[in-house]
Amino acid sequence: MKLIVVKDSEQGGKEAYQIFAEALKNGATVFGLATGSTPLTTYQKLVASKLDFSDAISINLDEYVGLKPDNPQSYQYFMQEHLFKSKPFKRSYLPQGDAKDAAQEVKRYDRVIAENPIDLQLLGIGRNGHIGFNEPGSDFTSATHKVALTPSTIAANARFFKNKDEVPRYAYSMGIGTILKSKKIILEAFGAAKAAAVAAMIEGPVTPACPASALQKHADVVAIVDEAAAAKL
Ligand code: GLP
C-alpha cells in the first residue's frame, strides 16, 4: 500500500484529484465513488476542474435501506448535490434504497458492477475500520449485500440526521470482494478519530476485525491520510 501523508483534507483532496485526472487521461471509464465527509474535498477539486466525465460511469459503494433517492439524507441525494449536478457522468449507479426486493436489488447491483468493472475506486474509512458499509466481521469475499449497521456506525452517522432514531439500521453495500476487484483504489482518512482505524488498516494483521485491512491484499492502493489520522502509525 502506498501511503501519502498530507497536512489536511484540503491537500488530501488535491492528491486524490490528481489520481482521478491521471486515471481519466489513461483511459479509465468506470469510477467507484464514496459518500461521507471524507471525499468532499476531492469532489470540490473535481467540480472546480475541467475534467470531463460525460463519457464515464460512476458506481457508488452503498446506500441506506429505506430511503428514497430524493430524501436529503440518502447517498443518491448527497452525490447529486456534491458532484453529479456539476460534473455529470454518462451513467451513475447507486443501490436503490427503496427497492421492493432486497435480494433482487443486490443481484442487480452486482450485475451492474460485473458489466462495468471499476477502474478507480475511492474509499473513506469508518472509525471501526469499515469500508463502504462492510462492518467488522465482514467476509473478505463478499459481493453486494444488505448489512445491519453497528451501533458505532449508527452513532457516528447520526450527525447527518435530526436524531439517532432517524438513522437507518440497514444499508446496501458493495462487498469487500467487490471492492478488491477494482483496478486501483484510493482510501482517504482525515482527522484524529480515524487514527486507530488507519493504524489497524496499514500495520495491523489482515483480519475481518478491521475490514480495511483487506486492502493490504490489493496490489494498487494509495492511502491519502492527513497528519492527525496518521498519528498512530
Ligand atoms: C459511512 C460510509 C462510508 C464512509 C464512512 C466514513 O459509513 N458508508 O463509506 O467511509 O461513513 O464517513 P466520514 O467520511 O463522514 O467520516
Side-chain angles (χ1 to χ4, degrees):
M1 195 180 301
K2 181 175 167 199
L3 174 65
I4 301 176
V5 179
V6 292
K7 201 168 127 280
D8 52 22
S9 61
E10 193 57 31
Q11 291 302 322
K14 273 190 199 158
E15 294 285 345
Y17 159 76
Q18 272 160 18
I19 298 173
F20 268 78
E22 186 73 17
L24 199 59
K25 196 176 96 195
N26 292 336
T29 54
V30 184
F31 293 86
L33 301 177
T35 49
S37 47
T38 306
L40 283 176
T41 52
T42 304
Y43 295 154
Q44 283 157 12
K45 303 286 171 219
L46 292 175
V47 165
S49 76
K50 291 207 167 78
L51 296 186
D52 179 8
F53 290 94
S54 60
D55 276 333
I57 287 170
S58 71
I59 305 184
N60 261 76
L61 280 170
D62 46 16
E63 177 61 284
Y64 287 117
V65 168
L67 300 192
K68 289 195 189 327
D70 60 352
N71 184 316
Q73 311 298 351
S74 74
Y75 285 168
Q76 170 80 58
Y77 192 94
F78 176 101
M79 290 307 300
Q80 197 58 38
E81 278 305 296
H82 294 289
L83 188 63
F84 300 153
K85 74 177 184 196
S86 319
K87 279 283 168 204
F89 285 67
K90 182 166 73 179
R91 287 196 301 281
S92 284
Y93 296 101
L94 279 96
Q96 195 191 323
D98 62 345
K100 293 236 154 44
D101 182 331
Q104 288 300 325
E105 178 55 14
V106 298
K107 269 195 213 146
R108 177 192 74 85
Y109 211 61
D110 276 336
R111 271 199 308 274
V112 166
I113 300 164
E115 284 162 12
N116 302 282
I118 296 171
D119 292 304
L120 178 63
Q121 174 69 56
L122 181 62
L123 296 176
I125 184 170
R127 295 171 201 202
N128 61 4
H130 74 243
I131 47 176
F133 268 128
N134 295 282
E135 297 280 24
S138 299
D139 179 352
F140 282 0
T141 61
S142 58
T144 303
H145 57 299
K146 184 176 166 182
V147 192
L149 303 181
T150 63
S152 108
T153 297
I154 291 168
N157 291 357
R159 69 189 193 279
F160 298 112
F161 292 80
K162 269 198 224 104
N163 61 60
K164 211 163 110 180
D165 295 336
E166 280 189 15
V167 187
R169 273 18 186 187
Y170 292 90
Y172 294 118
S173 180
M174 275 188 205
I176 295 178
T178 330
I179 292 170
L180 291 177
K181 281 189 194 143
S182 311
K183 220 186 270 170
K184 187 179 181 84
I185 297 174
I186 305 173
L187 182 138
E188 296 181 305
F190 305 130
K194 302 292 173 69
V198 166
M201 164 179 78
I202 297 178
E203 293 175 353
V206 177
T207 163
C210 175
S213 68
L215 299 176
Q216 292 180 30
K217 289 149 62 91
H218 191 284
D220 193 359
V221 177
V222 183
I224 302 174
V225 175
D226 73 358
E227 286 166 7
K232 295 196 168 150
L233 289 173

